[in-house]
Amino acid sequence: MFVPIAMVMGYSVMDNVITNKHPEFVGLDNYVKVLTNGVLPTAVLNTAIFTIVSVIAHLVLGLLFAMMLNTKLLSNLTTGLFRVIYVLPWLFTVAIIAILWRLLLNPNGVINYVLVGLGITPTGIEWLSTPGTALLAVTFINIWAGYPFYMVSLLAGLQGIPTDLYEAAKVDGASALQQFWHMTLPQLKPIIISMSLLDVIWTSQQFALIWMTTGGGPINATEMLSTFTYKLAFSNYEFSQASASAVLLLVVSTVLAYVYARYQKARE
């Protein structure tokens, strides 16, 4: 692990690496070029929107489905069926998810067929090829693919809360909303914080889903920090700048990982 990291750090302060047998030391020039690149602000903004919306939606949907599966109002058969259905997106690989949603969001796909049939839109929408909808579409796909992680974890947390607490709260006259706010959420707080921190780290580095659906387009509408770095290296052949960008991503990831580790240590 340390050897390739050290190599990339070395590349980031050299010029014309990979394509030149005798690269020259240029110091922080590559970092300056990356930070002044006109595409970088768009990539940062898209990554922030993609990450924040995904993490919040994952948490809300995961908690809603976990509470539904934990309720005593449904039969065991119904609960088992819903568990299988809701966990399915988590079982698919990124390639399958990308292909599946590219077919569904195709102008002649099922989703547009339903929207046109209901009279919501006059014609099919190019969801992944229109700048105004592409980021929304890939964010929705990521939410669909990621909420089961929260659902399974929160369901385990809900099942670990003693029922005596709820029975005592009912005796004291607490409503269902009060029980949720003052009992359920505090009990789930450690799980929620841990999963949210991990999700921020994972989602901010998402590459495969973006690359296999939009490739960062159209017109940088879905450009993320990960695709920005990849294109510097393998589209523009600016390997030194790509290395500098990768080092900056490593610093951000390290900070997030440090926050997560500190929180875990504080819990212990």
Side-chain angles (χ1 to χ4, degrees):
M1 180 179 68
F2 290 105
V3 171
I5 291 177
M7 291 176 63
V8 170
M9 288 182 174
Y11 290 161
S12 69
V13 294
M14 305 295 287
D15 189 25
N16 297 325
V17 294
I18 306 297
T19 58
N20 189 342
K21 291 184 178 181
H22 307 287
E24 300 177 358
F25 178 79
V26 294
L28 299 178
D29 285 358
N30 290 316
Y31 291 91
V32 174
K33 290 179 181 178
V34 168
L35 293 174
T36 56
N37 191 306
V39 181
L40 182 63
T42 301
V44 172
L45 179 61
N46 288 342
T47 303
I49 295 173
F50 180 74
T51 301
I52 294 172
V53 174
S54 294
V55 171
I56 294 175
H58 284 162
L59 175 59
V60 173
L61 287 177
L63 183 57
L64 286 175
F65 289 139
M67 294 186 65
M68 188 195 77
L69 295 176
N70 193 54
T71 183
K72 304 299 182 182
L73 300 178
L74 300 177
S75 66
N76 292 335
L77 178 61
T78 304
T79 301
L81 179 62
F82 281 148
R83 285 188 182 185
V84 173
I85 293 174
Y86 290 143
V87 84
L88 276 178
W90 202 23
L91 303 179
F92 295 146
T93 64
V94 177
I96 293 176
I97 292 172
I99 294 172
L100 173 65
W101 280 100
R102 285 183 65 177
L103 292 173
L104 290 173
L105 295 174
N106 188 280
N108 298 318
V110 175
I111 292 178
N112 278 318
Y113 177 81
V114 173
L115 293 177
V116 173
L118 295 176
I120 298 177
T121 59
T123 58
I125 300 174
E126 294 271 2
W127 293 100
L128 296 173
S129 303
T130 304
T133 60
L135 183 59
L136 174 65
V138 294
T139 303
F140 177 84
I141 297 171
N142 188 65
I143 292 170
W144 178 85
Y147 79 83
F149 169 68
Y150 279 79
M151 182 191 72
V152 172
S153 302
L154 291 173
L155 179 58
L158 287 171
Q159 293 177 343
I161 301 176
T163 55
D164 296 345
L165 294 177
Y166 293 104
E167 293 175 358
K170 290 179 181 178
V171 173
D172 292 338
S175 65
L177 181 59
Q178 289 174 327
Q179 293 178 40
F180 172 77
W181 190 257
H182 296 289
M183 294 176 57
T184 305
L185 282 184
Q187 293 288 329
L188 295 177
K189 182 180 176 181
I191 300 176
I192 291 174
I193 295 177
S194 296
M195 290 191 305
S196 298
L197 289 173
L198 284 174
D199 199 18
V200 168
I201 296 172
W202 293 337
T203 305
S204 61
Q205 299 181 30
Q206 179 65 263
F207 170 79
L209 179 63
I210 305 299
W211 190 254
M212 297 183 71
T213 51
T214 63
I219 318 176
N220 300 326
T222 60
E223 193 76 273
M224 305 291 169
L225 290 173
S226 57
T227 56
F228 169 74
T229 303
Y230 181 87
K231 288 180 179 179
L232 281 176
F234 301 106
S235 294
N236 301 335
Y237 301 105
E238 296 287 352
F239 293 103
S240 296
Q241 292 184 37
S243 299
S245 179
V247 172
L248 293 175
L249 284 176
L250 176 63
V251 172
V252 174
S253 300
T254 302
V255 172
L256 293 173
Y258 175 76
V259 172
Y260 174 76
R262 284 293 300 269
Y263 174 73
Q264 292 295 93
K265 185 175 181 180
R267 281 186 60 190
E268 295 173 359

